[in-house]
Amino acid sequence: GDGCGHTLLTPQSGTLSSRNYPGTYPNHTTCRWRLRTPPGTFLLLTFGDVDLEPSERCASSSLLLTDPQAGISYGPYCRNAVPATPLLVTNSSTVTVLFNSTSHRSGRGLLLSYATTQHPGRGERPPETPLALSPLIPMCFSVYCPAGCKDIDGDIWGNPSQGYRDTSVLCKAAVHAGVIADEQGGQVTLAREKGITLYESAFANGLHSKRGSLSEKRLLFHKALVPPRLPSCHVPLPACADVLEVAAFNASSWWHEVDALGQDRAWGAQRAALSTTGHSWAAEPGSDAAWLELDLGTRRNITGIITKGSSGQHDYYVKSYCVSSSRDGKNWRPYRGSSGQEDKVFEGNTDSHGEVSNAFIPPIVGRYVR
C-alpha cells in the first residue's frame, strides 16, 4: 500500500515520484516526504508532472505541500487544480510533501524535484532563449540538475564523445556523460551544436543510451570543474579524457590455461590493457577477492575507467567491481564516491565485447589503483 516511488533526497537537491510513475499510480496509498535543506537556504521546488485523477477539491487523489515554519500550505493539487507555475519558491528550509490516493482509474501520478537557493539555475530543459547570441558560436547554457535524475522516465540517445540527441532527457544524459554523480546532482554546462546523422548507444555510469537517428541539434557536455563564463564556453576546455599510461600491472593471481594441444597459456596481469588483442587477464579459477592493480608510475588525477571483457575464445567479463587507490602501494583507500558513506560498487559489463565507462566523481588522486 506504499505510495512512494523513486526517491533520492539530499541536503542540496533531490527527486521524488509516486509509485509506478509514469504508469498509473496505485489505489489507496499514501506517501509523505519531508524535505529539509541547510539553515540559511530556501527550498525551490519544480513540478515535473502532476497528473492525478480530477475530483472535487482533489478528494480522490491529491498532492499537498506544507511549510511548517511559515504555517503555509500549497494545494491540494490534482488534474483539475494544477500548480499555477512549474516552479515554487518557498521562504523555508523545510517542506512536507504529502501524496495520497483513493479509488481511481487514471493518472500518471507525480514527479517533483527540488534544490536550494544556492542552485537557482536548475532545470530539465534548455532555456528557450539562447545565452550565446552570436550565430557563429554554439548556443551555450548552464543548468542545475538535482540528485536522482538517473531513474526518472525518459530516453537518451548518444554518448559523451559525440554528444546527445537534443530530445534526450537533459539531466539523465548528464549522469550518463559522467559530468555529475546521480547521488549528488550538480551544475552542468553544455552547448547546443549542429546535429549528426547517427547517435551511437553506450553503457556508462549505470545507464544505457539508445542508438538514435538525425536531429537538428545535439547536446555536448563540458567536463569542467567550474562552468566557463558565458558566452565564451565555445572555447575548448582542458581535456579530461586523456588515456593514462600504465607503467606496470599486478594481480592477486592469474589463470594458466592448458589448451587442447596441452600448451600452457598465461592470462597474466599485463594482458589487462584495454587495447590488448587476444585473451585478457583472468584470475585463477575459484580464487576469492581477486584484484587487478595498475601502477601509473607517478601520482595522477584519475577521472574514470573503461572496462571490457576478453576478446579471446572465452566469454569472460566482470559484472561489477569496487575500486581502491594508493599513493605508495601500501596504504589503500576504498573509493566511496560523492556520498562518502560506503564503498561504491560500479556496474560493469554485460557481455565480453562491449566497453563500459564509469566516472570517478570526485576524481581519484593517486599512483596505484586496484
Side-chain angles (χ1 to χ4, degrees):
D2 185 6
C4 300
H6 167 61
T7 301
L8 182 54
L9 312 180
T10 78
Q12 298 299 330
S13 66
T15 303
L16 55 92
S17 69
S18 55
R19 190 176 176 186
N20 296 337
Y21 180 86
T24 304
Y25 57 94
N27 292 320
H28 304 290
T29 60
T30 299
C31 188
R32 185 190 307 268
W33 297 271
R34 180 170 294 173
L35 313 181
R36 179 173 295 170
T37 63
T41 64
F42 297 150
L43 273 162
L44 307 176
L45 298 103
T46 295
F47 300 98
D49 194 5
V50 180
D51 186 60
L52 308 177
E53 187 170 272
S55 60
E56 185 176 355
R57 297 184 181 180
C58 300
S60 176
S61 300
S62 66
L63 170 66
L64 179 67
L65 294 86
T66 59
D67 177 351
Q69 295 178 353
I72 300 175
S73 295
Y74 306 92
Y77 299 120
C78 58
R79 195 181 301 160
N80 56 324
V82 297
T85 63
L87 178 64
L88 174 62
V89 181
T90 74
N91 291 318
S92 175
S93 60
T94 304
V95 166
T96 299
V97 180
L98 177 64
F99 163 73
N100 66 72
S101 70
T102 57
S103 296
H104 69 281
R105 295 182 178 180
S106 65
R108 294 182 300 273
L110 69 97
L111 173 66
L112 186 148
S113 64
Y114 69 91
T116 72
T117 45
Q118 294 175 331
H119 306 292
R122 67 196 176 96
E124 262 298 312
R125 298 182 182 273
E128 294 299 324
T129 303
L131 300 183
L133 302 180
S134 169
L136 301 178
I137 61 177
M139 292 180 290
C140 183
F141 53 94
S142 179
V143 298
Y144 183 81
C145 291
C149 293
K150 175 182 172 182
D151 294 321
I152 65 172
D153 185 61
D155 294 322
I156 53 177
W157 295 265
N159 56 62
S161 61
Q162 65 177 176
Y164 296 85
R165 202 173 190 271
D166 63 346
T167 52
S168 301
V169 179
L170 190 153
C171 289
K172 195 170 183 177
V175 175
H176 185 271
V179 294
I180 58 170
D182 182 62
E183 61 267 26
Q184 191 175 34
Q187 198 80 23
V188 298
T189 303
L190 62 158
R192 280 187 294 193
E193 296 187 350
K194 183 179 179 180
I196 56 178
T197 303
L198 186 66
Y199 296 83
E200 294 290 348
S201 63
F203 184 54
N205 299 300
L207 281 172
H208 280 283
S209 62
K210 289 190 172 183
R211 183 181 171 95
S213 57
L214 173 69
S215 66
E216 284 190 17
K217 301 289 182 182
R218 59 175 168 154
L219 306 174
L220 288 172
F221 290 93
H222 290 283
K223 289 190 175 182
L225 295 178
V226 179
R229 295 180 181 178
L230 301 175
S232 62
C233 63
H234 64 289
V235 177
L237 297 172
C240 293
D242 295 335
V243 177
L244 300 179
E245 294 185 4
V246 179
F249 291 90
N250 191 17
S252 55
S253 66
W254 51 86
W255 179 34
H256 292 271
E257 177 192 11
V258 179
D259 61 21
L261 300 178
Q263 297 177 327
D264 182 84
R265 182 166 64 165
W267 293 57
Q270 71 278 4
R271 302 199 61 83
L274 191 65
S275 58
T276 301
T277 58
H279 64 284
S280 65
W281 164 72
E284 181 71 23
S287 59
D288 293 329
W291 51 260
L292 173 73
E293 181 183 307
L294 315 179
D295 177 3
L296 302 178
T298 186
R299 189 178 300 177
R300 304 300 297 268
N301 192 55
I302 310 162
T303 61
I305 186 171
I306 299 174
T307 58
K308 184 180 178 181
S310 172
S311 57
Q313 67 186 60
H314 300 282
D315 187 28
Y316 289 162
Y317 54 93
V318 173
K319 294 181 179 180
S320 62
Y321 57 93
C322 295
V323 173
S324 295
S325 63
S326 173
R327 299 189 178 190
D328 57 10
K330 299 178 181 178
N331 301 295
W332 295 88
R333 174 179 295 180
Y335 185 77
R336 294 185 170 178
S338 55
S339 64
Q341 299 299 314
E342 55 187 18
D343 297 359
K344 184 167 183 175
V345 179
F346 293 91
E347 292 187 53
N349 302 69
T350 56
D351 54 49
S352 61
H353 57 271
E355 293 184 0
V356 172
S357 60
N358 279 296
F360 297 142
I361 304 174
I364 292 173
V365 177
R367 171 176 171 176
Y368 302 89
V369 178
R370 277 188 180 178

